[in-house]
Amino acid sequence: MQNPMAIDPFALAQALSGVHLIDGELRAAASGRTFDVVNPATGEVVARAAYGEAADVDAAVRAAKAAQPAWARRRARERGALVVECGRRLAEHVEELGRLVALETGKALRTESRVEAGVLADIFLYYGGLGSELKGETIPFNPDMLTMTLREPLGVVGAIIPWNVPMLLMALKVAPALVAGNTVVVKSAEEAPLACLRAVQIMSEVLPKGVLNILSGYGPECGAPLTAHPDVRKVSFTGSVETGKIIATAAAQRLVPATLELGGKSPMIVCADADLGRAIDGAIVGMRFTRQGQSCTAASRMFVHEQVFEPFIEGVTARVNAMKMGDPLDEATDIGTIISPGQFQKVRDYIALAGAAPGAKAYACSRLPEDPRLAKGLFVQPHVFTGIPNDHRVCREEIFGPVTCVMAWRDFDAVIEQANDTEFGLSATIWTRDLRHALNATQRLQAGFVQVNQNLVVQSMLSYGGVKNSGLGKEASLEAMLEHFTTKKTVIINMT
Ligand code: ADP
């Protein structure tokens, strides 16, 4: 285990400056260009990342393509064992990876960033054990013809990831893709390239060269050429709905499959008979207040029965008030910063819009930090709003900030209808002791992930993904590996 006191994330960030990892080596961008990586808690530039463009994409895809046949020829258990070893090494570097991701994203180390680094390692450990599960079937087609299916890899996978939980979302793509015999080129998010690069560097000590490559760069210059590259046989994307549509269109042009994990506006329904304490805990986790609400599964619309509305609001606001906003690298901090000036402005605009809605009541919770070192930090107080109707823009559009709207309800059928009245369908929760309400809601809620009386985050072995505009396809789980990172070949052997 690493000694936390000996880790200096600022020095690490400098050491990771200016490079991609292609074909097992750290390499500058072909153009030599770089871009700033900023600490959102202070506004300071902490590193410069390699500015990936088409030439870098081409080099990385060529390396991945060259490495793929030999990787796929290894025994599946052997690939799995190497992926498990990646997980072990990542687990030894949790402190370092947690600090790096806290530095570049502004997510608090104790409540978020260290947790993410632990989950990263866990996803590799989980998938590494699944090598032998890449099974086909035998089919009773004709007694004279032995008929079966074989699971084969797709080839080179392009993985495009966002900044909110960059390492975890990278792991959900890379680990199953590798176990299934694919090779991968990752395009990290422009706001958060460092922790992912370091994680890939750690794994490259274990994996054959070219099997896993990572590029940093902007969407149009680096992500688009990756999606369009003729040797990329699968695209796996997590990000916004708008970019998801661009990527799906580009993939369709080449008839390449795309998995899309997009946005959400997830409902949380609290019934009058719910265990209120548990529901309040669930609201804090569900809203991802410790991640400044920057989560596609954030419970950003809460429907609370009118009989428990007031105590619910009191409980949630008291809990958020007790949280400490501050330096993401400080162990005492619960809530860090928003990722970028653009998002910061967008979230503040939504808060202003919500506050101006007729009948709206705003609860601004916690306190902005007073430390002068953080004066330029992108801190936004978490806001709980009441009195805003479900058809208002702040209840319809994904804010990706610490803002939740709480609405009162009386009629169960009507609240299910309201919960479903959204373009999204990623996650939903219901809080009740009444079995009929619980069963009814789990069947009727339009979402890919529904929970009763709890609000767990993504688990490696559980299929995860949305319906409607929340995306296409699933991530995590054995099924996701089989469905999205392999193709089935049908084989018929005539025995006569
Ligand atoms: P966000 O608003 O959360 O940053 P985006 O969907 O814009 O979400 O970005 C998610 C990822 O998609 C990032 O890595 C980004 O660089 C990448 N990206 C953005 N535009 C494109 C594009 N046209 N083609 C491919 N990737 C893109």
Side-chain angles (χ1 to χ4, degrees):
M1 280 302 127
Q2 296 182 299
N3 171 9
M5 303 313 289
I7 297 168
D8 175 359
F10 294 90
L12 271 172
Q14 282 295 325
L16 291 164
S17 269
V19 284
H20 305 301
L21 194 148
I22 300 174
D23 209 13
E25 339 173 311
L26 296 173
R27 280 193 209 166
S31 66
R33 292 171 74 194
T34 56
F35 62 93
D36 288 346
V37 183
V38 176
N39 173 0
T42 60
E44 284 161 8
V45 175
V46 291
R48 304 213 22 110
Y51 197 111
E53 290 172 286
D56 306 287
V57 169
D58 192 49
V61 174
R62 277 170 193 269
K65 190 181 178 198
Q68 201 268 329
W71 179 244
R73 287 280 304 157
R74 289 182 184 236
R75 284 182 301 128
R77 281 292 291 268
E78 197 184 314
R79 286 196 303 270
L82 291 176
V83 168
V84 166
E85 185 55 25
C86 287
R88 286 210 188 100
R89 303 245 181 139
L90 292 168
E92 285 168 5
H93 290 82
V94 160
E95 284 300 329
E96 177 186 324
L97 293 166
R99 279 170 167 71
L100 263 178
V101 86
L103 179 63
E104 62 188 343
T105 63
K107 294 191 304 180
L109 179 61
R110 177 177 51 80
T111 55
E112 287 286 335
S113 293
R114 185 183 289 121
V115 181
E116 183 191 348
V119 178
L120 162 80
D122 178 66
I123 292 169
F124 280 85
L125 293 173
Y126 165 73
Y127 273 111
L130 296 182
S132 298
E133 298 305 318
L134 293 155
K135 294 170 186 163
E137 302 121 344
T138 53
I139 299 149
F141 167 55
N142 179 325
D144 292 327
M145 296 179 196
L146 175 61
T147 305
M148 59 188 160
T149 58
L150 303 178
R151 290 273 180 193
E152 296 190 339
L154 297 163
V156 177
V157 172
I160 299 178
I161 53 174
W163 45 262
N164 62 332
V165 260
M167 295 189 291
L168 185 158
L169 296 171
M170 177 174 78
L172 288 178
K173 301 178 189 320
V174 169
L178 293 184
V179 171
N182 305 281
T183 53
V184 183
V185 177
V186 177
K187 205 291 279 172
S188 58
E190 44 272 49
E191 298 85 352
L194 301 175
C196 286
L197 172 61
R198 179 67 185 125
V200 170
Q201 187 186 27
I202 291 165
M203 290 190 272
S204 71
E205 290 165 11
V206 175
L207 298 169
K209 65 190 185 83
V211 164
L212 177 58
N213 310 272
I214 184 165
L215 304 167
S216 45
Y218 290 87
E221 288 100 331
C222 189
L226 181 61
T227 320
H229 198 289
D231 290 326
V232 169
R233 303 311 311 158
K234 157 88 194 185
V235 179
S236 183
F237 169 77
T238 302
S240 62
V241 177
E242 298 70 40
T243 306
K245 287 179 183 170
I246 294 172
I247 286 177
T249 307
Q253 288 300 321
R254 297 198 298 111
L255 296 179
V256 161
T259 304
L260 307 173
E261 208 266 85
L262 309 176
K265 197 76 191 175
S266 298
M268 164 169 180
I269 300 174
V270 181
C271 297
D273 65 355
D275 177 332
L276 207 59
R278 275 175 76 172
I280 289 165
D281 288 347
I284 302 296
V285 179
M287 191 44 219
R288 309 283 190 274
F289 281 119
T290 53
R291 202 191 297 159
Q292 298 77 256
Q294 299 171 126
S295 163
C296 41
T297 32
S300 48
R301 294 181 303 141
M302 299 187 182
F303 299 94
V304 179
H305 194 278
E306 59 183 17
Q307 284 173 17
V308 290
F309 192 81
E310 289 306 327
F312 180 86
I313 295 288
E314 236 169 71
V316 169
T317 53
R319 287 284 303 278
V320 187
N321 276 327
M323 290 177 165
K324 182 172 183 299
M325 299 181 76
D327 183 346
L329 288 165
D330 183 342
E331 293 283 349
T333 297
D334 297 299
I335 300 176
T337 71
I338 299 290
I339 184 77
S340 64
Q343 278 296 121
F344 180 72
Q345 194 49 50
K346 183 178 148 195
V347 171
R348 284 161 48 115
D349 289 348
Y350 273 114
I351 290 173
L353 184 68
K361 183 164 177 193
Y363 298 82
C365 302
S366 188
R367 274 172 314 284
L368 294 172
E370 283 163 11
D371 184 344
R373 284 182 315 119
L374 305 176
K376 291 198 180 133
L378 305 175
F379 293 93
V380 172
Q381 271 184 292
H383 276 67
V384 176
F385 284 97
T386 61
I388 301 184
N390 193 40
D391 59 2
H392 191 281
R393 271 186 60 201
V394 291
C395 292
R396 302 200 82 75
E397 297 171 13
E398 190 177 37
I399 298 174
F400 231 65
V403 181
T404 193
C405 295
V406 189
M407 292 162 268
W409 64 272
R410 188 182 303 168
D411 178 73
F412 185 73
D413 289 326
V415 79
I416 296 284
E417 214 167 284
Q418 277 199 306
N420 287 337
D421 184 14
T422 167
E423 67 174 286
F424 297 107
L426 195 49
S427 159
T429 63
I430 175 152
W431 304 75
T432 179
R433 291 184 173 106
D434 183 332
L435 194 59
R436 288 167 308 167
H437 279 154
L439 293 176
N440 242 288
T442 50
Q443 295 198 23
R444 289 162 63 189
L445 286 170
Q446 296 165 355
F449 205 79
V450 177
Q451 299 182 68
V452 180
N453 294 333
Q454 66 173 18
N455 216 330
L456 289 178
V457 295
V458 174
Q459 307 288 311
S460 338
M461 73 296 293
L462 301 181
S463 200
Y464 177 83
V467 296
K468 304 200 287 194
N469 275 359
S470 289
L472 281 179
K474 301 286 172 190
E475 295 203 294
S477 77
L478 172 63
E479 310 89 86
M481 174 173 83
L482 297 176
E483 281 168 32
H484 299 300
F485 292 109
T486 71
T487 180
K488 258 188 190 179
K489 178 186 278 175
T490 302
V491 176
I492 310 174
I493 301 163
N494 190 326
M495 299 181 296
T496 56

